[in-house]
Amino acid sequence: MERLIISGGVKLKGVVTISGAKNAILPILAACILNKSPLVLEGVPHLDDVKTIKEVLEALGAKVTWNRDLIEVDPTTICSPEVPPALMRRMRASNLVMGSLLGRYGKVKASYPGGCTIGSRPMDLHLKGFAALGARVQEKHGFIEAEAPRLKGTEIHLDFPSVGATENIMTAAVLAEGTTIIRNAAREPEIVDLQNFLNKLGARIKGAGLDTIRIDGVSSLERKISYRVIPDRIETGTFMVAAALARGEVLIKNAIPKHVEPVTAKLREAGVKIREEDDQIHVTGVERWNPLDIRTFPFPGFPTDMQPQMMVFLSLAKGTSIVTENIFENRFQHVGELRRMGAQIHVEGRSAIIKGVPSLTGTAVEATDLRAGAALVLGGLAAENTTIVEGLQHLDRGYERLEEKLRLLGADIRRQR
Ligand code: UD1
């Protein structure tokens, strides 16, 4: 079993370059299904989740070639509308092919992705959207089937601005007859990236980034394009917190400051010095920092995907902080592991009360999900003595060369195989 061995207490110093966004490349790769020509994606991060969506496309019949940070997809050979259950189980985001399959081929069958450790994560909003577009949706024996010769544009009001449901409805509506309006849509930067990608292919979408998205259906998409995905805002945020926690001085390149504004605002409130330039962010840590009150919300609120990393940071603040998780019902599993490192955290319902301590102590800990894993690595960087992080399969889903990037900043971190 692989593990990371971290000797904490080193001040991080230097330059780090952010990779392409996991949560942008996954829906964009899924949306390639809609096109009638091969196309190229640039800035693709080497992540296990990207490998999984590549396998999904291949299982559907597409040809996918991955070379360094370029992926070429030839969707013209797709011959099956059925997503293999094993790939649906491996990654919830495999469901992102459903809207494109339904829109392009009039049919999709996939097993239910089920719950995961951070919460139950249902699909009802996706399926209500498909049904509103005129699909016949059936759920039987853990499988979802949706069918419609051609979808028809309509108005859909999402009960919650779900990222995945917004993306699936957008892709389903691209080739639909007439206009689709999605109200209370998710406003995440990855939705804007998906819109830009689809419009470059010839789709007619407006409004992504706002709460109402308008999709005017077109008859087909067939351009040969190449498209570069946006930088990963969660990786950016994770390095910002790493720099602050390790009292370092780090220049983060290939970042979009606007995408991490909620994180920047909170770190500044804590006392961390942050300078933003066009596509880079300079972070300078301080010796001790102020406690914070953080509540996670859909974008532009504070991202749930940064909640665990921020909690480690607050474990070393000079005072008591409160973190409230509003998106997922079970996203505090890192708390037990952080407590083992000496953090003083008490959970009450959806809130965690964090009493700052002067230092954390390294020990053996286990990642239970992707961002929890990142939080434990950050804890290890700040802790006295050695931290061993297990459960790296979670980290490898979403961080490209994490330990190599941290080592370049001076961290004492290595992977033991
Ligand atoms: C995406 C991100 C994930 C991030 C999350 C919230 C990707 C690949 N993943 O996940 O990293 O943590 O957004 O920012 O982009 N919900 C329903 N019914 C539905 C769909 C969602 O009730 O049909 C609920 C979920 O249970 C959850 C909330 O809505 O409580 C947010 O989920 P959603 O925005 O859909 O997250 P994902 O798209 O799965």
Side-chain angles (χ1 to χ4, degrees):
M1 198 205 304
E2 294 191 1
R3 42 208 211 148
L4 287 175
I5 318 278
I6 309 164
S7 295
V10 180
K11 287 195 176 185
L12 299 186
K13 221 171 164 40
V15 179
V16 62
T17 303
I18 299 304
S19 302
K22 168 177 94 69
N23 289 353
I25 190 68
L26 296 177
I28 285 176
L29 272 165
C32 290
I33 292 171
L34 291 167
N35 205 38
K36 283 189 179 164
S37 300
L39 51 92
V40 174
L41 300 170
E42 301 170 21
V44 179
H46 277 261
L47 302 172
D48 285 353
D49 275 7
V50 180
K51 281 185 205 147
T52 302
I53 199 91
K54 173 178 179 280
E55 282 178 47
V56 172
L57 291 174
E58 286 168 339
L60 299 172
K63 291 200 191 88
V64 189
T65 328
W66 192 353
N67 238 321
R68 292 197 300 272
D69 73 337
L70 294 185
I71 282 194
E72 181 171 353
V73 183
D74 181 355
T76 58
T77 47
I78 289 178
C79 51
S80 160
E82 207 169 318
V83 191
L87 294 173
M88 283 297 278
R89 267 199 306 275
R90 196 188 308 163
M91 176 180 76
R92 179 178 160 86
S94 297
N95 72 38
L96 291 172
V97 297
M98 294 178 73
S100 301
L101 281 172
L102 181 60
R104 170 83 173 85
Y105 294 97
K107 190 173 174 169
V108 60
K109 182 172 178 191
S111 62
Y112 215 83
C116 71
T117 55
I118 60 174
S120 62
R121 305 182 79 174
M123 288 282 293
D124 56 320
L125 302 174
H126 304 236
L127 303 186
K128 268 196 210 168
F130 295 158
L133 287 164
R136 198 167 64 95
V137 179
Q138 284 180 297
E139 293 175 76
K140 270 197 299 217
H141 316 300
F143 280 86
I144 302 164
E145 273 187 69
E147 221 171 326
R150 187 168 181 205
L151 297 170
K152 282 200 172 55
T154 186
E155 289 207 16
I156 296 168
H157 186 106
L158 291 178
D159 297 335
F160 182 88
S162 151
V163 175
T166 303
E167 292 167 341
N168 254 332
I169 296 169
M170 265 170 90
T171 48
V174 164
L175 301 177
E177 194 185 320
T179 298
T180 301
I181 310 273
I182 311 174
R183 295 195 200 283
N184 198 27
R187 291 189 279 163
E188 270 68 2
E190 293 78 17
I191 309 275
V192 179
D193 211 30
L194 179 62
Q195 166 181 284
N196 293 344
F197 166 73
L198 288 167
N199 284 348
K200 200 169 176 186
L201 283 178
R204 290 174 57 207
I205 310 175
K206 279 196 290 208
L210 305 171
D211 63 4
T212 301
I213 300 178
R214 177 190 170 109
I215 304 132
D216 289 313
V218 295
S219 55
S220 73
L221 302 183
E222 43 199 278
R223 294 187 191 153
K224 285 187 180 174
I225 61 156
S226 76
Y227 187 84
R228 175 169 287 274
V229 287
I230 53 169
D232 196 306
R233 65 193 164 96
I234 305 301
E235 188 194 10
T236 306
T238 303
F239 275 98
M240 289 170 77
V241 174
L245 250 181
R247 299 161 174 96
E249 205 181 328
V250 174
L251 178 63
I252 303 172
K253 288 194 164 181
N254 190 37
I256 299 180
K258 207 168 171 34
H259 292 178
V260 285
E261 256 170 19
V263 178
T264 305
K266 281 297 167 190
L267 287 174
R268 279 191 176 139
E269 196 182 322
V272 177
K273 296 188 187 74
I274 299 175
R275 206 174 64 238
E276 299 167 342
E277 287 155 26
D278 289 349
D279 62 349
Q280 52 189 37
I281 301 170
H282 193 268
V283 182
T284 310
V286 287
E287 255 337 283
R288 282 303 290 285
W289 42 90
N290 306 320
L292 298 170
D293 180 355
I294 293 183
R295 294 162 216 214
T296 64
F297 280 111
F299 192 85
F302 191 90
T304 173
D305 285 353
M306 282 300 301
Q307 178 261 103
Q309 301 88 314
M310 211 60 179
M311 200 181 283
V312 192
F313 177 70
L314 297 177
S315 296
L316 292 168
K318 50 184 185 203
T320 300
S321 303
I322 301 182
V323 170
T324 306
E325 173 56 54
N326 290 309
I327 309 292
F328 293 112
E329 68 265 30
N330 192 22
R331 201 169 202 177
F332 280 147
Q333 289 177 75
H334 43 286
V335 168
E337 298 301 276
L338 291 177
R339 276 205 204 116
R340 285 158 33 75
M341 297 179 78
Q344 285 195 20
I345 308 173
H346 172 72
V347 175
E348 267 179 30
R350 282 186 171 267
S351 294
I353 296 128
I354 307 145
K355 196 163 161 240
V357 293
S359 62
L360 295 175
T361 315
T363 181
V365 286
E366 175 152 12
T368 46
D369 66 77
L370 169 57
R371 308 301 171 186
L376 297 177
V377 171
L378 298 187
L381 294 175
E384 287 167 359
N385 55 50
T386 303
T387 300
I388 299 169
V389 182
E390 293 182 342
L392 301 192
Q393 72 278 13
H394 297 293
L395 263 182
D396 294 340
R397 283 187 39 222
Y399 286 93
E400 186 180 43
R401 298 182 285 108
L402 179 63
E403 64 264 28
E404 192 186 315
K405 289 186 182 186
L406 286 169
R407 254 198 319 271
L408 282 171
L409 296 175
D412 187 343
I413 176 169
R414 68 191 160 85
R415 186 177 287 239
Q416 193 179 66
R417 290 175 203 275

